[in-house]
Amino acid sequence: MTTERAEERGKPPLLGVLGLMLGIFLSALDGQIIGTALPTVVGDLGGLEHLAWVVTAYLLTSAAATPLWGRLGDLYGRKGAYQWAVAVFLLGSVLSGLSQDMGELIAFRALQGVGAGGLMVGALSVLGVLVPASERGRVQSVVGVLMPIAFVGGPLLGGLLTDRLSWRWAFYVNLPVGVFALVAVGVAVRLEKTERVRAPFDWAGVALLTTGILGLTLVSSWGGTAYPWTSPLILGTAVVAALALAGFVRAELRAPGPLIPPALFHSRNFTVAQVLGFLTGAVMLALIGYLPQYLQFVQGASPTTGGLLLLPLMLGMMGTQLVTARLMGRPGGERRYPLLGGALAAVGAALLLLLGTDTPVVLASGLTAVAGIGIGLLMQSTLLTSIGAVPREDMGAAMGVVTLLRNIGGSLGVAALGAVYTTRLTAGLEARLGPTEAAHLTGGGGLAPASLTGLPAAVRDAVGTAVTSGLHGTVAGGVALATVATAVACLARPTPAPQPQPEASAAPAKAPAARR
């Protein structure tokens, strides 16, 4: 019924579509914009040991809130759910910019993530009922371009704002864009009232999923750093997370209106695509989060220049996604392109192990391109496989699952590989400078790129070596994850080429008989 009404409306309002596209853009942009500003943030607020949580808190709450916003839209209206998500996102953005210590920043980033979880899912849900089928191809291509632009522009914009104004403007910049999106959707989008879902809200599913995601993130972040892997706290948290996720699966199988319909995973290719999306999110966000550390501390790049030096990585992702969208329609693409993407991502991440304290800056920047091409292949191929593997009526739920698992992968990847980075960095500083000086640099807010110019050469060299060691640990984890993704891609089933229909040739022969 919804699709038919969309067809009758004709072309959707341009202003309303723009407002929805801005929500998608903000959702992707804000996961990347803080990366190049993080060294300056730590230098200003202190608390290097909590560095990963500035990114992880956003990704964690965004992932947990994604199916929640989708369900709220089904129950109470898609347009209203999207607008509330934008409002929560803007509130979190303003409060993040006003943060006075790392604890406040992490808490407000978590609030911002709650709103971000509804931006993409809410926008796609509204577009699904607003845009007629004749216009969906054009809109999908615009969405496909917006994501890479956000990935390219996020680090660059974050660095530029940090250099010219303050790292706080990486959050304040969301305000005018978000307000315009709110007004545009409020004025231009008019959805016909349709019968809403009458099933009770799945509160048990929300609680169990959130508990499981939080538990996994804490284990990956604390294990081996704040607490030993065998400590009662880590083991207990892992058990709680496992029980919560097992309970979530059981609850979804029984719930009359589940957050995540289990029937989606009856498709083998859809399931494989979600595992690949999970692994891709981990590799991508780990590299984007920690390469700026190397570029600023070791190469001496400013935040703006650090963003520019990531352009080969980002342009590799963007160009590959645009090409892959055309190639995936060929038979066997569901398996061929994820395999190629996983292999290139593994090779590209392995190339980053060549980075050292004396690597020329141009070479350091160029080496990131191969990983970007591989990640772009994985991202676009898994998205298009997910779209093609489910019926149209389940498209909204499927996109919620895609976003959820990619964000969870990014959250866990940043937390786990961030713990590796911090451990190796601290160990390297202690080995070169001693525990006292290392503790002063990492815990007292003194480890910022700008502050290195006033330190002795021996300290600068020690910091460069330690940061490089930390990056190597993160990159090695990325190689392992990309290798697993390559193996998982082998499980996808290629879709056979469509066979010619015999009815087409038989039709002319039947026509004369009918005329008789």
Short mmCIF file of all heavy atoms in Angstrom, two decimals, residues 262-309:
data_model
loop_
_atom_site.label_atom_id
_atom_site.label_comp_id
_atom_site.label_asym_id
_atom_site.label_seq_id
_atom_site.Cartn_x
_atom_site.Cartn_y
_atom_site.Cartn_z
N PRO A 262 14.26 -12.29 12.70
CA PRO A 262 15.18 -13.42 12.45
C PRO A 262 15.09 -13.94 11.02
O PRO A 262 16.06 -14.52 10.52
CB PRO A 262 14.70 -14.48 13.46
CG PRO A 262 14.01 -13.71 14.54
CD PRO A 262 13.36 -12.55 13.84
N ALA A 263 13.96 -13.74 10.35
CA ALA A 263 13.81 -14.27 9.00
C ALA A 263 14.82 -13.68 8.02
O ALA A 263 15.12 -14.29 6.99
CB ALA A 263 12.39 -13.98 8.49
N LEU A 264 15.37 -12.52 8.34
CA LEU A 264 16.36 -11.92 7.45
C LEU A 264 17.56 -12.83 7.26
O LEU A 264 18.18 -12.87 6.20
CB LEU A 264 16.82 -10.56 8.01
CG LEU A 264 15.81 -9.42 8.03
CD1 LEU A 264 16.40 -8.21 8.73
CD2 LEU A 264 15.39 -9.05 6.61
N PHE A 265 17.92 -13.55 8.30
CA PHE A 265 19.13 -14.36 8.27
C PHE A 265 18.91 -15.74 7.66
O PHE A 265 19.80 -16.59 7.69
CB PHE A 265 19.71 -14.48 9.68
CG PHE A 265 20.18 -13.17 10.23
CD1 PHE A 265 19.33 -12.37 10.98
CD2 PHE A 265 21.45 -12.70 9.96
CE1 PHE A 265 19.76 -11.14 11.48
CE2 PHE A 265 21.88 -11.48 10.44
CZ PHE A 265 21.04 -10.70 11.20
N HIS A 266 17.70 -15.99 7.10
CA HIS A 266 17.49 -17.22 6.35
C HIS A 266 18.25 -17.19 5.04
O HIS A 266 18.51 -18.23 4.45
CB HIS A 266 16.00 -17.42 6.09
CG HIS A 266 15.21 -17.70 7.33
ND1 HIS A 266 13.83 -17.72 7.37
CD2 HIS A 266 15.61 -17.98 8.61
CE1 HIS A 266 13.42 -18.00 8.60
NE2 HIS A 266 14.48 -18.14 9.36
N SER A 267 18.59 -15.98 4.57
CA SER A 267 19.39 -15.83 3.35
C SER A 267 20.87 -15.97 3.70
O SER A 267 21.39 -15.23 4.53
CB SER A 267 19.13 -14.47 2.70
OG SER A 267 20.10 -14.19 1.72
N ARG A 268 21.52 -16.92 3.07
CA ARG A 268 22.95 -17.15 3.34
C ARG A 268 23.79 -15.94 2.96
O ARG A 268 24.67 -15.53 3.71
CB ARG A 268 23.43 -18.38 2.57
CG ARG A 268 24.90 -18.71 2.76
CD ARG A 268 25.24 -20.03 2.11
NE ARG A 268 26.64 -20.37 2.27
CZ ARG A 268 27.15 -21.54 1.93
NH1 ARG A 268 26.37 -22.49 1.44
NH2 ARG A 268 28.44 -21.78 2.09
N ASN A 269 23.53 -15.37 1.78
CA ASN A 269 24.32 -14.22 1.35
C ASN A 269 24.12 -13.02 2.26
O ASN A 269 25.05 -12.25 2.51
CB ASN A 269 23.97 -13.85 -0.09
CG ASN A 269 24.66 -14.76 -1.10
OD1 ASN A 269 25.42 -15.65 -0.72
ND2 ASN A 269 24.39 -14.57 -2.37
N PHE A 270 22.89 -12.82 2.75
CA PHE A 270 22.65 -11.72 3.68
C PHE A 270 23.46 -11.92 4.96
O PHE A 270 24.08 -10.98 5.47
CB PHE A 270 21.16 -11.62 4.01
CG PHE A 270 20.82 -10.49 4.95
CD1 PHE A 270 20.63 -9.21 4.47
CD2 PHE A 270 20.72 -10.71 6.32
CE1 PHE A 270 20.34 -8.16 5.33
CE2 PHE A 270 20.43 -9.67 7.19
CZ PHE A 270 20.23 -8.39 6.70
N THR A 271 23.47 -13.13 5.48
CA THR A 271 24.23 -13.41 6.71
C THR A 271 25.72 -13.20 6.50
O THR A 271 26.40 -12.58 7.33
CB THR A 271 23.96 -14.85 7.17
OG1 THR A 271 22.55 -15.04 7.35
CG2 THR A 271 24.68 -15.15 8.47
N VAL A 272 26.24 -13.70 5.38
CA VAL A 272 27.67 -13.50 5.08
C VAL A 272 27.98 -12.02 4.96
O VAL A 272 29.01 -11.53 5.46
CB VAL A 272 28.05 -14.25 3.78
CG1 VAL A 272 29.44 -13.85 3.30
CG2 VAL A 272 27.99 -15.76 4.00
N ALA A 273 27.09 -11.26 4.30
CA ALA A 273 27.32 -9.83 4.13
C ALA A 273 27.38 -9.10 5.47
O ALA A 273 28.17 -8.16 5.64
CB ALA A 273 26.22 -9.22 3.26
N GLN A 274 26.58 -9.54 6.44
CA GLN A 274 26.60 -8.87 7.75
C GLN A 274 27.90 -9.15 8.50
O GLN A 274 28.44 -8.28 9.18
CB GLN A 274 25.39 -9.29 8.59
CG GLN A 274 24.05 -9.05 7.93
CD GLN A 274 24.01 -7.82 7.06
OE1 GLN A 274 24.23 -6.70 7.52
NE2 GLN A 274 23.72 -8.01 5.78
N VAL A 275 28.40 -10.38 8.40
CA VAL A 275 29.70 -10.69 9.02
C VAL A 275 30.80 -9.86 8.38
O VAL A 275 31.67 -9.30 9.06
CB VAL A 275 30.01 -12.19 8.90
CG1 VAL A 275 31.39 -12.51 9.46
CG2 VAL A 275 28.95 -13.02 9.62
N LEU A 276 30.75 -9.74 7.05
CA LEU A 276 31.75 -8.92 6.36
C LEU A 276 31.62 -7.45 6.73
O LEU A 276 32.63 -6.75 6.90
CB LEU A 276 31.59 -9.09 4.85
CG LEU A 276 31.97 -10.45 4.28
CD1 LEU A 276 31.65 -10.52 2.79
CD2 LEU A 276 33.45 -10.74 4.51
N GLY A 277 30.39 -6.96 6.88
CA GLY A 277 30.20 -5.57 7.29
C GLY A 277 30.76 -5.32 8.68
O GLY A 277 31.35 -4.27 8.95
N PHE A 278 30.56 -6.27 9.58
CA PHE A 278 31.10 -6.18 10.94
C PHE A 278 32.63 -6.06 10.91
O PHE A 278 33.22 -5.18 11.55
CB PHE A 278 30.67 -7.42 11.72
CG PHE A 278 31.22 -7.53 13.11
CD1 PHE A 278 30.53 -6.99 14.18
CD2 PHE A 278 32.43 -8.16 13.35
CE1 PHE A 278 31.03 -7.08 15.47
CE2 PHE A 278 32.94 -8.25 14.63
CZ PHE A 278 32.24 -7.71 15.70
N LEU A 279 33.28 -6.94 10.15
CA LEU A 279 34.74 -6.92 10.07
C LEU A 279 35.25 -5.67 9.36
O LEU A 279 36.26 -5.09 9.76
CB LEU A 279 35.23 -8.18 9.35
CG LEU A 279 34.94 -9.51 10.05
CD1 LEU A 279 35.25 -10.69 9.12
CD2 LEU A 279 35.78 -9.63 11.33
N THR A 280 34.54 -5.24 8.31
CA THR A 280 34.96 -4.04 7.57
C THR A 280 34.89 -2.80 8.45
O THR A 280 35.79 -1.95 8.41
CB THR A 280 34.08 -3.86 6.33
OG1 THR A 280 34.14 -5.03 5.52
CG2 THR A 280 34.56 -2.66 5.51
N GLY A 281 33.83 -2.69 9.24
CA GLY A 281 33.71 -1.55 10.15
C GLY A 281 34.86 -1.49 11.14
O GLY A 281 35.39 -0.41 11.44
N ALA A 282 35.29 -2.66 11.63
CA ALA A 282 36.40 -2.70 12.58
C ALA A 282 37.70 -2.23 11.93
O ALA A 282 38.45 -1.43 12.51
CB ALA A 282 36.55 -4.12 13.14
N VAL A 283 37.99 -2.74 10.74
CA VAL A 283 39.25 -2.37 10.06
C VAL A 283 39.23 -0.89 9.70
O VAL A 283 40.20 -0.16 9.96
CB VAL A 283 39.44 -3.23 8.79
CG1 VAL A 283 40.67 -2.76 8.02
CG2 VAL A 283 39.59 -4.70 9.17
N MET A 284 38.15 -0.43 9.10
CA MET A 284 38.08 0.95 8.62
C MET A 284 38.25 1.97 9.75
O MET A 284 39.09 2.87 9.67
CB MET A 284 36.75 1.19 7.91
CG MET A 284 36.55 2.62 7.43
SD MET A 284 34.92 2.91 6.74
CE MET A 284 33.88 2.75 8.20
N LEU A 285 37.47 1.82 10.81
CA LEU A 285 37.51 2.82 11.86
C LEU A 285 38.78 2.75 12.68
O LEU A 285 39.24 3.76 13.21
CB LEU A 285 36.28 2.68 12.75
CG LEU A 285 34.99 3.12 12.05
CD1 LEU A 285 33.77 2.79 12.89
CD2 LEU A 285 35.02 4.60 11.74
N ALA A 286 39.39 1.57 12.79
CA ALA A 286 40.66 1.47 13.50
C ALA A 286 41.75 2.24 12.73
O ALA A 286 42.54 2.99 13.33
CB ALA A 286 41.06 0.01 13.68
N LEU A 287 41.78 2.08 11.40
CA LEU A 287 42.79 2.79 10.61
C LEU A 287 42.54 4.29 10.60
O LEU A 287 43.47 5.09 10.78
CB LEU A 287 42.81 2.25 9.18
CG LEU A 287 43.27 0.81 8.99
CD1 LEU A 287 43.29 0.44 7.52
CD2 LEU A 287 44.65 0.58 9.61
N ILE A 288 41.28 4.68 10.40
CA ILE A 288 40.96 6.10 10.37
C ILE A 288 41.22 6.75 11.73
O ILE A 288 41.62 7.92 11.83
CB ILE A 288 39.50 6.31 9.94
CG1 ILE A 288 39.34 5.92 8.48
CG2 ILE A 288 39.06 7.76 10.14
CD1 ILE A 288 37.92 5.96 7.98
N GLY A 289 41.00 6.00 12.81
CA GLY A 289 41.18 6.55 14.15
C GLY A 289 42.62 6.72 14.57
O GLY A 289 42.95 7.65 15.32
N TYR A 290 43.52 5.84 14.07
CA TYR A 290 44.89 5.85 14.61
C TYR A 290 45.97 6.26 13.61
O TYR A 290 47.08 6.59 14.02
CB TYR A 290 45.21 4.47 15.22
CG TYR A 290 44.39 4.25 16.46
CD1 TYR A 290 43.21 3.50 16.42
CD2 TYR A 290 44.73 4.86 17.66
CE1 TYR A 290 42.43 3.34 17.54
CE2 TYR A 290 43.95 4.70 18.79
CZ TYR A 290 42.80 3.95 18.73
OH TYR A 290 42.03 3.81 19.84
N LEU A 291 45.67 6.28 12.33
CA LEU A 291 46.65 6.84 11.39
C LEU A 291 46.93 8.32 11.65
O LEU A 291 48.08 8.77 11.53
CB LEU A 291 46.17 6.64 9.95
CG LEU A 291 46.49 5.29 9.31
CD1 LEU A 291 45.78 5.14 7.99
CD2 LEU A 291 48.01 5.14 9.13
N PRO A 292 45.92 9.15 12.02
CA PRO A 292 46.23 10.55 12.35
C PRO A 292 47.23 10.69 13.51
O PRO A 292 47.99 11.67 13.54
CB PRO A 292 44.87 11.14 12.72
CG PRO A 292 43.89 10.32 11.97
CD PRO A 292 44.45 8.93 12.00
N GLN A 293 47.23 9.76 14.45
CA GLN A 293 48.21 9.81 15.54
C GLN A 293 49.63 9.74 14.98
O GLN A 293 50.51 10.53 15.35
CB GLN A 293 47.98 8.64 16.50
CG GLN A 293 46.57 8.52 17.04
CD GLN A 293 46.26 9.59 18.07
OE1 GLN A 293 47.07 9.88 18.93
NE2 GLN A 293 45.08 10.18 17.96
N TYR A 294 49.83 8.81 14.06
CA TYR A 294 51.15 8.66 13.45
C TYR A 294 51.51 9.89 12.62
O TYR A 294 52.63 10.42 12.70
CB TYR A 294 51.16 7.41 12.57
CG TYR A 294 52.37 7.31 11.66
CD1 TYR A 294 53.58 6.82 12.14
CD2 TYR A 294 52.29 7.72 10.33
CE1 TYR A 294 54.69 6.74 11.31
CE2 TYR A 294 53.38 7.63 9.49
CZ TYR A 294 54.58 7.15 9.99
OH TYR A 294 55.68 7.08 9.17
N LEU A 295 50.57 10.37 11.81
CA LEU A 295 50.87 11.49 10.93
C LEU A 295 51.20 12.76 11.70
O LEU A 295 52.05 13.55 11.28
CB LEU A 295 49.68 11.73 10.00
CG LEU A 295 49.40 10.61 8.98
CD1 LEU A 295 48.09 10.87 8.26
CD2 LEU A 295 50.55 10.50 7.98
N GLN A 296 50.56 12.96 12.82
CA GLN A 296 50.80 14.19 13.59
C GLN A 296 51.99 14.06 14.52
O GLN A 296 52.80 14.99 14.63
CB GLN A 296 49.53 14.56 14.38
CG GLN A 296 48.37 14.95 13.48
CD GLN A 296 47.13 15.37 14.25
OE1 GLN A 296 47.21 16.14 15.19
NE2 GLN A 296 45.97 14.86 13.84
N PHE A 297 52.12 12.95 15.24
CA PHE A 297 53.22 12.81 16.19
C PHE A 297 54.54 12.47 15.53
O PHE A 297 55.60 12.93 15.97
CB PHE A 297 52.88 11.73 17.23
CG PHE A 297 51.94 12.18 18.30
CD1 PHE A 297 50.64 11.71 18.35
CD2 PHE A 297 52.35 13.09 19.26
CE1 PHE A 297 49.77 12.13 19.34
CE2 PHE A 297 51.48 13.52 20.25
CZ PHE A 297 50.19 13.04 20.30
N VAL A 298 54.50 11.65 14.49
CA VAL A 298 55.75 11.18 13.87
C VAL A 298 56.12 12.04 12.67
O VAL A 298 57.28 12.46 12.53
CB VAL A 298 55.61 9.70 13.45
CG1 VAL A 298 56.90 9.21 12.80
CG2 VAL A 298 55.27 8.84 14.66
N GLN A 299 55.16 12.32 11.80
CA GLN A 299 55.45 13.11 10.61
C GLN A 299 55.39 14.60 10.86
O GLN A 299 55.77 15.39 10.01
CB GLN A 299 54.46 12.73 9.49
CG GLN A 299 54.56 11.28 9.05
CD GLN A 299 55.86 10.99 8.29
OE1 GLN A 299 56.60 11.91 7.95
NE2 GLN A 299 56.12 9.72 8.03
N GLY A 300 54.88 15.00 12.04
CA GLY A 300 54.82 16.42 12.36
C GLY A 300 53.75 17.18 11.61
O GLY A 300 53.83 18.41 11.48
N ALA A 301 52.73 16.49 11.10
CA ALA A 301 51.68 17.15 10.34
C ALA A 301 50.71 17.86 11.28
O ALA A 301 50.45 17.40 12.39
CB ALA A 301 50.92 16.13 9.50
N SER A 302 50.17 18.96 10.82
CA SER A 302 49.10 19.63 11.56
C SER A 302 47.82 18.83 11.40
O SER A 302 47.73 17.95 10.54
CB SER A 302 48.90 21.05 11.02
OG SER A 302 48.40 20.99 9.70
N PRO A 303 46.80 19.10 12.20
CA PRO A 303 45.54 18.39 12.00
C PRO A 303 44.98 18.51 10.59
O PRO A 303 44.48 17.53 10.03
CB PRO A 303 44.61 19.03 13.04
CG PRO A 303 45.52 19.45 14.14
CD PRO A 303 46.78 19.90 13.45
N THR A 304 45.08 19.71 9.99
CA THR A 304 44.58 19.88 8.62
C THR A 304 45.41 19.06 7.65
O THR A 304 44.87 18.34 6.80
CB THR A 304 44.62 21.36 8.22
OG1 THR A 304 43.81 22.11 9.11
CG2 THR A 304 44.11 21.54 6.79
N THR A 305 46.73 19.15 7.76
CA THR A 305 47.60 18.38 6.87
C THR A 305 47.42 16.89 7.09
O THR A 305 47.45 16.10 6.14
CB THR A 305 49.06 18.78 7.10
OG1 THR A 305 49.21 20.19 6.95
CG2 THR A 305 49.97 18.07 6.12
N GLY A 306 47.20 16.50 8.35
CA GLY A 306 46.95 15.09 8.64
C GLY A 306 45.71 14.59 7.91
O GLY A 306 45.68 13.46 7.41
N GLY A 307 44.68 15.43 7.86
CA GLY A 307 43.49 15.06 7.10
C GLY A 307 43.78 14.93 5.62
O GLY A 307 43.30 14.01 4.95
N LEU A 308 44.56 15.85 5.08
CA LEU A 308 44.92 15.79 3.66
C LEU A 308 45.74 14.54 3.35
O LEU A 308 45.58 13.94 2.28
CB LEU A 308 45.70 17.04 3.26
CG LEU A 308 44.91 18.34 3.17
CD1 LEU A 308 45.84 19.53 3.00
CD2 LEU A 308 43.91 18.27 2.02
N LEU A 309 46.61 14.15 4.26
CA LEU A 309 47.45 12.98 4.04
C LEU A 309 46.64 11.68 4.05
O LEU A 309 47.12 10.65 3.58
CB LEU A 309 48.56 12.91 5.09
CG LEU A 309 49.62 14.02 5.00
CD1 LEU A 309 50.60 13.94 6.16
CD2 LEU A 309 50.37 13.93 3.67
#
